[in-house]
Amino acid sequence: MSLQDIKNSIRNVPDFPKQGIQFKDITTAIKQPKILKETLEMMAEHYKNQQIDYVVGVESRGFIFGAALAYMLGCGFIPVRKKGKLPAEVLSQEYSLEYGTDKIEIHKDALNKGDKVLMVDDLLATGGTTQATVELIKKTSADIIGFAFMIELDDLNGRAILNKTAEVFSLIHY
Ligand code: AMP
């Protein structure tokens, strides 16, 4: 199993959700047991010697990789959700979308000062979503020690902004 095999398992859907977007569909990858296993093992390998307390995953595809990675690294998983979904007291962060704004939230008591956090999502594009999560996590005073993605769209250079906070690791590049 090579990185090329993993790349070949990702389906490209042109013009979804709108004209001009090349959507990287991971469902064709993660339905294959060997691809799912290898992808997660390669991601976990990168962090095996780092002391991570929590993996934070962003709704919703960040949950798929985030929870599995947390299990493999022997740490806890914390969800960041779209507004109004978390039941207890939350911290919120507004962020810009192409049209208007949206909000992401984390439970107020989910992280404490000094906790070491790895952030995980399926794909890094502009970095806007992840940077909003960085701002959210900063409100908790936890330490972000890295960003892990299955896929990175290099041309959009999302890593430029994230690199200011911590190391960016992506398995597959386009
Ligand atoms: P961004 O905030 O621009 O880095 O966008 C990242 C989020 O949007 C991730 O959660 C991705 O799941 C999703 N996303 C953005 N662009 C694509 C794409 N071309 N294919 C699949 N998902 C995408």
Side-chain angles (χ1 to χ4, degrees):
M1 172 89 39
S2 67
L3 281 174
Q4 192 58 47
D5 293 326
I6 296 176
K7 196 169 189 173
N8 292 343
S9 72
I10 299 164
R11 173 164 55 193
N12 190 73
V13 183
D15 301 322
F16 181 88
K18 56 177 201 170
Q19 201 74 25
I21 304 287
Q22 301 290 327
F23 193 88
K24 305 300 176 209
D25 177 16
I26 59 157
T27 66
T28 48
I30 61 175
K31 74 179 268 196
Q32 301 181 51
K34 283 184 184 150
I35 299 277
L36 180 62
K37 185 168 187 282
E38 193 75 12
T39 298
L40 287 165
E41 281 174 356
M42 285 184 189
M43 289 170 93
E45 174 71 18
H46 189 79
Y47 296 101
K48 69 174 183 201
N49 294 323
Q50 298 195 37
Q51 202 54 56
I52 295 163
D53 297 310
Y54 299 102
V55 171
V56 168
V58 182
E59 183 174 353
S60 55
R61 275 168 285 161
F63 293 176
I64 298 170
F65 296 102
L69 261 186
Y71 172 77
M72 293 168 88
L73 295 169
C75 55
F77 177 76
I78 295 172
V80 166
R81 300 210 61 180
K82 304 281 165 60
K83 67 168 179 287
K85 304 278 189 186
L86 289 170
E89 248 194 291
V90 294
L91 298 167
S92 305
Q93 178 67 41
E94 203 168 65
Y95 65 106
S96 308
L97 298 168
E98 205 172 346
Y99 304 105
T101 62
D102 207 348
K103 255 187 196 162
I104 48 172
E105 298 180 335
I106 192 168
H107 272 143
K108 209 170 194 170
D109 59 3
L111 287 167
N112 290 303
K113 187 172 168 37
D115 285 341
K116 292 192 169 48
V117 171
L118 172 65
M119 289 195 41
V120 178
D121 205 353
D122 66 327
L123 183 144
L124 172 61
T126 64
T129 314
T130 309
Q131 186 55 30
T133 314
V134 169
E135 303 302 333
L136 183 64
I137 289 175
K138 277 186 183 160
K139 295 177 184 180
T140 70
S141 298
D143 294 332
I144 298 170
I145 61 99
F147 303 97
F149 302 92
M150 179 183 185
I151 303 166
E152 178 171 352
L153 305 182
D154 293 345
D155 288 352
L156 296 173
N157 203 19
R159 70 165 50 226
I161 183 160
L162 301 182
N163 263 334
K164 292 177 188 157
T165 301
E167 186 223 15
V168 179
F169 172 74
S170 312
L171 211 53
I172 307 285
H173 293 262
Y174 287 91

